């Protein structure tokens, strides 16, 4: 903090007001100052550097590996996409075709930018 000389309006008295040093203000990934140092209460797992959206509490690697090694929609259920997960599960149980879809979907999850059920990007 540094002190600067300012006068109160109408008082004529000179006083010292503490103003923050511009070098000490931390700028977040979205270009706004981070109010709590390195911790952002609206994004406890960090923010996506491209979009600025907060990361999900779910992991992209876990979702992709669950989808590859248990190809019945478990990775999609973990990520919060219950509709797609149940569709893959039912197609696997009744027709066996869901395994192919789920396996390809696991590769897409690992290689792409998947989101959770709320639209937040999965953590890398």
């Amino acid at each position: 903090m540094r002190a600067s000389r300012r006068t109160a309006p109408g008082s004529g008295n000179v006083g010292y007001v503490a103003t923050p040093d511009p070098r000490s203000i931390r700028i977040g990934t979205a270009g706004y100052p981070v109010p709590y140092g390195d911790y952002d209460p609206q994004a406890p797992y960090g923010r996506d550097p491209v979009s600025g959206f907060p990361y999900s509490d779910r992991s992209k690697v876990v979702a992709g590996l669950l989808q590859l090694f248990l190809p019945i929609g478990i990775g999609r259920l973990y990520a919060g996409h219950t509709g797609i997960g149940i569709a893959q599960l039912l197609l696997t149980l009744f027709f066996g075709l869901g395994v192919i879809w789920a396996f390809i979907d696991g590769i897409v999850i690992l290689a792409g930018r998947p989101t959770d059920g709320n639209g937040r990007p999965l953590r890398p």
Side-chain angles (χ1 to χ4, degrees), residues 11 33-34 57 79 90 94:
S11 69
V34 178
D57 57 340
L90 292 176
F94 292 117

Side-chain angles (χ1 to χ4, degrees), residues 72-94:
I72 56 174
I74 300 298
R76 284 294 183 171
L77 289 172
Y78 167 78
H81 295 283
T82 54
I84 295 174
I86 290 174
Q88 289 175 352
L89 178 66
L90 292 176
L91 276 175
T92 302
L93 290 177
F94 292 117

Side-chain angles (χ1 to χ4, degrees), residues 37-115:
D38 288 335
Y39 180 73
D40 184 1
Q42 294 178 346
Y45 297 101
R47 291 192 178 270
D48 185 25
V50 176
S51 66
F53 291 128
Y55 279 129
S56 172
D57 57 340
R58 307 299 170 112
S59 172
K60 168 182 166 177
V61 174
V62 172
L65 291 177
L66 281 173
Q67 196 72 1
L68 284 176
F69 293 118
L70 298 171
I72 56 174
I74 300 298
R76 284 294 183 171
L77 289 172
Y78 167 78
H81 295 283
T82 54
I84 295 174
I86 290 174
Q88 289 175 352
L89 178 66
L90 292 176
L91 276 175
T92 302
L93 290 177
F94 292 117
F95 302 109
L97 299 175
V99 174
I100 298 168
W101 177 20
F103 185 77
I104 293 171
D105 198 27
I107 295 171
V108 169
I109 288 173
L110 288 173
R113 299 187 57 139
T115 59

